[in-house]
């Protein structure tokens, strides 16, 4: 209900349907620890760990873990059914209704299983990282492709973009560009009609020598040596 306030005590759980506005406050930010589980995607949910922070400002320190599960649709569907049943019947004490109570217990059982044995862990990329990756794939052949150029297209600073990429992908933007270009180069090296210089140009390397250096650093060998190894296999 609007403006409704209540306290969730240790060991208690608050279930809310999607779309309900809410604002949590820490009762004692020196000691309180609480979890917020958010059904953020049809096949994923996030688990927020909130720890009491600065006692003067009241800010929390927070970490977020993301989990994937194919059962999330069932989970959110059950929450929706609870909300619709309570609203349609105008229930003032919903847990006294056997059907609603059964749905709540089922939901809590699923949540317990999710928290104790998550199916898989994943870290969804920041939207800027996703757009960065799209730009890289669309402009691999462009010699101008760089961290600075991408940041300009995205309206952010190179340093900010670099931090996000390292956090979400575990590598720098330049390393990611090099990886994609070398993958493409390996495909072109199977075509004997293309020279090494032509492949360097097609893959966005400004010079063949630069291509050779990056290829050696990424694979431990030269483009020519890679092509010969392919020929020997055939």
């Amino acid at each position: 209900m609007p403006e409704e306030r209540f306290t969730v005590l240790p060991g208690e759980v608050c279930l809310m349907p999607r779309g309900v506005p809410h604002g949590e406050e820490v009762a004692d930010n020196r000691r309180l620890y609480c979890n917020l589980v958010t059904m953020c995607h049809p096949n994923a949910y996030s688990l927020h760990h909130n720890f009491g922070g600065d006692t003067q400002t009241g800010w929390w320190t927070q970490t977020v873990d993301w989990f994937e599960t194919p059962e999330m649709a069932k989970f959110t569907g059950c929450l929706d059914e609870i909300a619709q049943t309570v609203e349609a019947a105008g229930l003032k004490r919903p847990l006294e209704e056997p059907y609603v109570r059964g749905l709540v217990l089922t939901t809590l059982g699923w949540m317990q299983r999710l928290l104790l044995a998550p199916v898989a862990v994943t870290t969804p990329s920041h939207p800027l990282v996703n757009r960065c990756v799209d730009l890289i794939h669309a402009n691999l052949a462009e010699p101008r492709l760089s961290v600075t150029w991408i940041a300009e297209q995205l309206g952010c600073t190179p340093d900010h973009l670099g931090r996000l990429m390292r956090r979400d992908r575990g590598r720098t933007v330049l390393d990611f560009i090099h990886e994609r270009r070398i993958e493409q180069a390996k495909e072109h090296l199977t075509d004997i009609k293309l020279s090494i210089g032509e492949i360097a140009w097609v893959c966005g390397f400004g010079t063949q020598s630069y291509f050779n250096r990056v290829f050696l650093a990424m694979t431990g060998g030269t483009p020519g040596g890679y092509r010969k190894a392919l020929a020997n296999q055939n």
Side-chain angles (χ1 to χ4, degrees), residues 130-203:
N130 292 332
R131 292 171 61 194
C132 171
V133 170
D134 289 341
L135 279 173
I136 291 172
H137 288 156
N139 295 275
L140 272 181
E142 292 286 343
R144 66 179 177 176
L145 187 62
S146 65
V147 182
T148 301
W149 181 82
I150 295 172
E152 289 176 354
Q153 309 309 305
L154 299 179
C156 66
T157 65
D159 287 344
H160 180 59
L161 181 60
R163 285 192 295 271
L164 291 176
M165 178 64 84
R166 285 192 295 273
R167 186 197 69 185
D168 291 359
R169 298 299 177 107
R171 54 181 58 75
T172 67
V173 176
L174 185 58
D175 284 343
F176 190 86
I177 293 172
H178 285 164
E179 288 174 2
R180 300 289 83 77
R181 282 177 166 169
I182 295 305
E183 288 177 1
Q184 188 180 73
K186 287 180 177 179
E187 295 177 3
H188 288 307
L189 285 168
T190 61
D191 185 355
I192 60 176
K193 295 189 294 295
L194 292 175
S195 68
I196 301 297
E198 289 173 327
I199 293 173
W201 180 78
V202 168
C203 293

Side-chain angles (χ1 to χ4, degrees), residues 7-77:
T7 301
V8 178
L9 300 174
E12 294 182 340
V13 174
C14 172
L15 288 175
M16 292 183 293
R18 288 174 292 178
V20 175
H22 56 91
E24 293 77 24
E25 296 180 1
V26 181
D28 181 355
N29 61 10
R30 294 170 301 174
R31 303 180 59 180
L32 182 67
Y33 163 84
C34 65
N35 288 335
L36 173 64
V37 181
T38 304
M39 278 41 115
C40 50
H41 185 273
N43 294 311
Y45 66 98
S46 61
L47 174 60
H48 301 242
H49 310 281
N50 298 306
F51 300 88
D54 190 324
T55 56
Q56 294 181 347
T57 64
W59 287 106
W60 295 355
T61 56
Q62 182 182 83
T63 60
V64 181
D65 293 328
W66 298 77
F67 302 93
E68 292 181 348
T69 172
E71 295 186 343
M72 188 49 59
K74 298 181 190 177
F75 195 99
T76 54

Side-chain angles (χ1 to χ4, degrees), residues 196-197 200-201 205-217 223:
I196 301 297
W201 180 78
F205 292 98
T207 65
Q208 182 175 337
S209 61
Y210 180 41
F211 172 46
N212 289 338
R213 289 199 303 273
V214 175
F215 197 96
L216 179 62

